[in-house]
Amino acid sequence: KAGVTQTPRYLIKTRGQQVTLSCSPISGHRSVSWYQQTPGQGLQFLFEYFSETQRNKGNFPGRFSGRQFSNSRSEMNVSTLELGDSALYLCASSLLAENTEAFFGQGTRLTVV
Amino acid sequence: GENVEQHPSTLSVQEGDSAVIKCTYSDSASNYFPWYKQELGKRPQLIIDIRSNVGEKKDQRIAVTLNKTAKHFSLHITETQPEDSAVYFCAATVYSGGGADGLTFGKGTHLIIQP
């Protein structure tokens, strides 16, 4: 069974640009969550989607957005990039809303220059 | 919102000794507490979890204890081995019938196993 797949693995963008990251969950998993990992702040929750609906959102500005498609694949978008957005973005999937065990992808390393 | 504190930030132990990592949480409604291990350059992986209706859970050399009254939970690794070297994260969340909130993570503990 394939694990959680995130693309691309690495990305370099310029300040002010926007970026879209993709996450394909484990087959059958309907819940997808996104996290930002930085050395200073650690792992921080961005948002969670279940059945194409955003159910929970962390404390991030509106520049961070996401969506989920009918096949459970999810994308997150960051607009007007800032240097501080440089981080590892991790996606995690869960089987059902009631099963909270989260399986993480390898992440997308975003560098903003 | 939830706040999770994790200590120590770095822990160095001799191979074969035990290691204990402690976390405290602030939201008394939190009811699910997973522990993740992250090796350098790799994804976080769940190693053990505990729900609020249980006080202790063991899986071979790994155990987790939960004290709901004091709002703290701990990871215990016995007979440590070199492959246990990694960063360990504790987390907490509120699970309700409508699903789970996002995980709130501690800042992580860098566990170093000395040969």
Side-chain angles (χ1 to χ4, degrees), chain A residues 4-20:
Chain A
V4 179
T5 304
Q6 291 187 246
T7 57
R9 289 292 309 280
Y10 302 93
L11 209 48
I12 299 175
K13 289 286 188 178
T14 304
R15 266 183 305 173
Q17 286 187 313
Q18 67 131 26
V19 67
T20 299

Side-chain angles (χ1 to χ4, degrees), chain A residues 1-6 23-29 91-93 103-106, chain B residues 43 45:
Chain A
K1 201 176 205 182
V4 179
T5 304
Q6 291 187 246
C23 171
S24 293
I26 293 172
S27 178
H29 285 199
C91 159
S93 76
F103 295 85
F104 282 87
Q106 293 274 41
Chain B
R43 71 190 77 194
Q45 291 197 293

Side-chain angles (χ1 to χ4, degrees), chain A residues 3-4 9 35 37 40-45 48 55-56 88 90 97-106, chain B residues 32 36 38 41-46 49 51 89 93 95-107:
Chain A
V4 179
R9 289 292 309 280
Y35 294 85
Q37 186 173 27
Q41 298 300 316
L43 279 154
Q44 293 186 286
F45 171 68
E48 187 248 348
R55 296 189 311 160
N56 291 293
L88 180 67
L90 290 160
E98 294 78 13
N99 183 336
T100 50
E101 180 174 348
F103 295 85
F104 282 87
Q106 293 274 41
Chain B
Y32 176 66
Y36 283 85
Q38 188 176 28
K42 297 192 174 181
R43 71 190 77 194
Q45 291 197 293
L46 180 73
D49 57 10
R51 298 179 192 273
F89 294 94
T93 191
Y95 165 68
S96 63
D101 292 347
L103 293 167
T104 299
F105 284 89
K107 289 291 176 72

Side-chain angles (χ1 to χ4, degrees), chain B residues 31-95:
Chain B
N31 55 10
Y32 176 66
F33 308 91
W35 286 87
Y36 283 85
K37 174 183 179 183
Q38 188 176 28
E39 296 175 72
L40 191 63
K42 297 192 174 181
R43 71 190 77 194
Q45 291 197 293
L46 180 73
I47 55 171
I48 196 166
D49 57 10
I50 192 167
R51 298 179 192 273
S52 59
N53 59 348
V54 176
E56 184 176 358
K57 184 176 178 180
K58 290 181 79 171
D59 183 3
Q60 299 182 344
R61 298 186 297 110
I62 294 172
V64 57
T65 58
L66 171 65
N67 183 326
K68 285 190 295 182
T69 304
K71 288 191 281 189
H72 69 68
F73 55 114
S74 300
L75 177 71
H76 305 253
I77 305 175
T78 59
E79 300 171 14
T80 53
Q81 300 169 4
E83 54 265 35
D84 294 330
S85 293
V87 179
Y88 291 80
F89 294 94
C90 63
T93 191
V94 178
Y95 165 68

